[in-house]
Amino acid sequence: MHDTETVSQSAPPPGSPAPAPSQGPASARKGQLPSPEREAGSRHARRFGLPVATALVMGNIIGGGIFLLPASVAPFGTISLVAFGVLTIGAIALALVFGRLAQRDPRTGGPYVYVREAFGDFAGFLAAWSYWITSWVSNAALAVTAVGYLDVLLPLHDSPWLMMTAALVVQWLPALANLAGTRYVGAVQLVSTVLKFVPLLLVAIGGLFFFDPDNLGPFQATGGGALGAVSASAAILLFSYLGVESAAVSAGEVRNPRRNVGRATVLGTLGAALVYLLGTLAVFGTVAHDKLLTSRAPFTDAVNTMFGGTWGGAAVACAALVSIVGALNGWTLLSAQTAYAAARDGLFPARFAVKRRGVSSFGVIVTVVLASLLTVYNYMAGTARVFEILVLVTTFTATVPYLLATAAQLYFLVSGQRDRVRPARLARDAVLALAAFGFSMWLLAGSGYAAVYQGVLFLFGGVLIYAWMSARRTRA
């Protein structure tokens, strides 16, 4: 039996929403909605249950940044915890919107699917292109970050060649898991999520027994207004929740997606928020504020304070490496799935639309190759400046699909499509969509002028690709 899967446009399965003429430009041209993906029956391809889908969301939200986060917000004082709370509310609103959208259209692709259905091919392409750029550039950034933690365990002696090799190995191992099939992607994601959350929760819970209020420092350390302090700390924390869409992007690989995608999205976001808040609070209460201001490894300092000795550095480095490998595993899958969804509709090259073992193998290979080339360039150039600019751009490109997807939800609600909107939930869904839209705008604003400027250039550079693919479709 071949385990290669291609997707054709067929009638919606029983029970799915019937297409209506008013469903937007894409549906008007197509006349019908493609059916959800079917697995090819390979023993290597397996749909994700609720635990794995939740682990995918949590693993992608939390990478390696949490291990530096307490020191990053310490200069603002404990008022930064208020910013955490505000951001968590916005992230949960966004998670609920993605859950609602996945209930109505549980296909692989997430934001791309919803945006294209509401606003047509061009808007859908921009969402897919933006998200795809984010995923593989972020993978390169995660791999470089992993090298810093690996250096604690295996000293690399600042050798560019050793660091570059280590970064490439860290990228290719999760890619191999993806190529092996969704069965192995899910296993790696679940194991890595458990392994990284156990030590983080131990620090968070253990810190309560060593908590000293005198270590907290001032509530507002900047000396300015409270609103300004919250906004300033939020600018650093804003991107801590990127990844809430993970289950929606892989909806075609989730069992019972209309039910499980929304639950996994909310549970994963809440789980990540709990770890963020408890972990940061524990570090604030165990490490003296003046020491935390200059700390390069706040969780290490917290572990050493709680249990004594200097073994905390190795323990935290191991947890960080596991965390980053799990994030790389999930983001590699999302990159391939986004390209697959766009290729299925003729907006990306057709090679991306062929699945093997439940995953677009070509999409995985292209993702890891591009990320590897960017990593090699970073080390060979001898400067991180260009790399830092590209990473900053991803903070913009990651939020473009959020903004467009929440706008699509508002379009479905306001246009009064009865097959997509439950009247009893209209008011609640509208409030959630507006809150998520506002949160997405805040994310865009928080990325800064430079990121928005560079990101727009990066985003619209893909217009040439769209023109080429659109011309091929028209000619065919």
Side-chain angles (χ1 to χ4, degrees):
M1 177 184 296
H2 296 289
D3 52 5
T4 298
E5 176 188 35
T6 56
V7 177
S8 60
Q9 305 289 337
S10 59
S16 63
S22 60
Q23 283 180 345
S27 60
R29 287 190 297 274
K30 294 289 183 183
Q32 59 185 20
L33 291 173
S35 63
E37 289 78 14
R38 305 294 183 188
E39 291 296 341
S42 167
R43 62 188 178 90
H44 301 288
R46 180 175 295 176
R47 289 185 182 269
F48 302 146
L50 180 60
V52 174
T54 303
L56 183 65
V57 176
M58 295 174 71
N60 284 358
I61 289 177
I62 298 182
I66 185 175
F67 297 96
L68 292 175
L69 207 55
S72 299
V73 297
F76 303 101
T78 52
I79 196 172
S80 57
L81 296 175
V82 176
F84 252 132
V86 174
L87 290 174
T88 299
I89 293 173
I92 291 174
L94 187 60
L96 289 170
V97 169
F98 278 123
R100 296 284 187 272
L101 288 166
Q103 280 182 341
R104 297 167 187 134
D105 199 340
R107 288 180 290 157
T108 293
Y112 157 75
V113 172
Y114 319 136
V115 173
R116 179 174 178 267
E117 188 59 35
F119 307 124
D121 286 347
F122 184 62
F125 172 81
L126 289 180
W129 175 259
S130 182
Y131 195 82
W132 185 67
I133 289 171
T134 300
S135 57
W136 62 263
V137 175
S138 296
N139 274 11
L142 284 169
V144 172
T145 303
V147 171
Y149 292 110
L150 184 62
D151 192 44
V152 176
L153 304 173
L154 301 172
L156 302 175
H157 305 294
D158 292 327
S159 169
W161 289 102
L162 287 177
M163 291 190 292
M164 181 176 69
T165 301
L168 293 176
V169 169
V170 169
Q171 287 180 44
W172 278 88
L173 287 177
L176 292 177
N178 273 262
L179 291 172
T182 52
R183 175 181 182 180
Y184 302 98
V185 173
V188 170
Q189 199 65 31
L190 190 58
V191 171
S192 64
T193 300
V194 172
L195 289 179
K196 76 180 177 183
F197 276 93
V198 167
L200 286 173
L201 286 176
L202 283 176
V203 172
I205 297 173
L208 299 178
F209 297 96
F210 298 88
F211 194 90
D212 184 355
D214 293 335
N215 289 329
L216 292 176
F219 176 71
Q220 187 177 332
T222 58
L227 183 59
V230 170
S231 298
S233 55
I236 296 175
L237 301 171
L238 275 172
F239 306 102
S240 302
Y241 287 104
L242 293 181
V244 298
E245 74 294 339
S246 301
V249 173
S250 295
E253 281 62 54
V254 177
R255 288 197 296 269
N256 192 4
R258 297 183 190 276
R259 175 177 177 270
N260 285 335
V261 167
R263 293 187 176 188
T265 302
V266 174
L267 290 174
T269 303
L270 286 173
L274 180 65
V275 171
Y276 278 146
L277 289 168
L278 287 181
T280 303
L281 181 61
V283 174
F284 276 3
T286 53
V287 181
H289 184 258
D290 56 346
K291 183 179 179 180
L292 189 58
L293 291 173
T294 58
S295 175
R296 298 180 60 184
F299 273 83
T300 296
D301 294 335
V303 171
N304 290 339
T305 300
M306 287 187 285
F307 304 108
T310 58
W311 58 270
V316 171
C318 288
L321 282 172
V322 170
S323 178
I324 292 172
V325 168
L328 281 166
N329 181 66
W331 280 106
T332 299
L333 174 67
L334 299 191
S335 177
Q337 300 294 59
T338 300
Y340 159 78
R344 175 193 58 197
D345 298 323
L347 300 181
F348 267 41
R351 288 287 300 277
F352 286 99
V354 178
K355 279 191 175 182
R356 189 176 295 275
R357 298 174 178 175
V359 179
S360 170
S361 300
F362 185 73
V364 171
I365 292 172
V366 170
T367 293
V368 71
V369 167
L370 288 174
S372 298
L373 290 174
L374 183 56
T375 302
V376 170
Y377 176 76
N378 175 61
Y379 284 108
M380 295 300 291
T383 175
R385 181 57 184 161
V386 174
F387 187 72
E388 289 173 356
I389 291 174
L390 287 174
V391 172
L392 185 63
V393 167
T394 64
T395 62
F396 168 81
T397 58
T399 54
V400 169
Y402 293 176
L403 191 67
L404 292 174
T406 53
Q409 171 73 334
L410 289 169
Y411 166 79
F412 293 138
L413 293 172
V414 175
S415 61
Q417 299 179 37
R418 294 186 179 275
D419 60 326
R420 290 182 174 271
V421 179
R422 296 183 183 180
R425 293 182 175 178
L426 179 60
R428 185 180 66 181
D429 285 355
V431 171
L432 285 174
L434 287 172
F437 186 87
F439 178 65
S440 302
M441 287 294 291
W442 195 12
L443 286 172
L444 288 177
S447 60
Y449 292 107
V452 172
Y453 172 73
Q454 305 258 1
V456 167
L457 296 178
F458 221 86
L459 179 64
F460 283 95
V463 172
L464 185 63
I465 305 296
Y466 174 78
W468 175 54
M469 294 303 301
S470 182
R472 289 189 61 184
R473 291 173 62 199
T474 301
R475 186 171 60 186

